[in-house]
Amino acid sequence: MEQRDNPSAESVALRLQWLRDYLGLSQTEIASSIGVKTTQWNNWERAHNRLSLTGGLRLGQVYGVSLDFLFLGRVDTLQHTMRTAWLSSPRVNSSKKSSENPDT
């Protein structure tokens, strides 16, 4: 299984946006569910600030997503339905395409 270790703030933000969309939650709802302010979540999701370890741990406790996925993009740590959704995501497919072939 492909491992894409990409810890950049922008890559983490992409995974946070995807997770929230996958869960069907607003920024306010997901922020509240893990005990942070909406502005903090927004800063993480826009890569203005890096996701904190505490925030990542809370996401894991509440939604079952691993730190390896959040910080490194390791999809093999996701439960099957999440992994399938992630791999079929248009954002993921377009970012894979652009990273594999910079001319596309």
Side-chain angles (χ1 to χ4, degrees):
M1 190 165 285
E2 182 177 338
Q3 296 292 315
R4 301 187 67 82
D5 292 357
N6 195 346
S8 73
E10 292 79 14
S11 295
V12 172
L14 173 77
R15 290 187 284 275
L16 292 174
Q17 290 169 6
W18 173 84
L19 178 64
R20 184 175 59 79
D21 290 345
Y22 172 79
L23 296 168
L25 300 174
S26 69
Q27 287 188 345
T28 300
E29 291 168 327
I30 198 164
S32 176
S33 73
I34 64 167
V36 299
K37 294 182 180 185
T38 303
T39 54
Q40 182 62 57
W41 179 270
N42 184 275
N43 285 333
W44 290 340
E45 200 173 283
R46 296 187 184 279
H48 293 298
N49 295 110
R50 183 68 183 250
L51 173 65
S52 68
L53 178 58
T54 302
L57 289 169
R58 288 293 298 145
L59 285 166
Q61 291 169 338
V62 175
Y63 298 108
V65 64
S66 73
L67 293 177
D68 281 341
F69 172 72
L70 292 172
F71 287 103
L72 301 174
R74 294 183 177 166
V75 297
D76 61 325
T77 64
L78 291 174
Q79 54 185 284
H80 179 72
T81 54
M82 261 191 202
R83 181 173 51 245
T84 300
W86 170 258
L87 293 173
S88 65
S89 169
R91 279 186 268 195
V92 174
N93 290 332
S94 66
S95 75
K96 280 184 185 176
K97 185 181 284 187
S98 65
S99 68
E100 292 168 358
N101 185 355
D103 296 330
T104 59

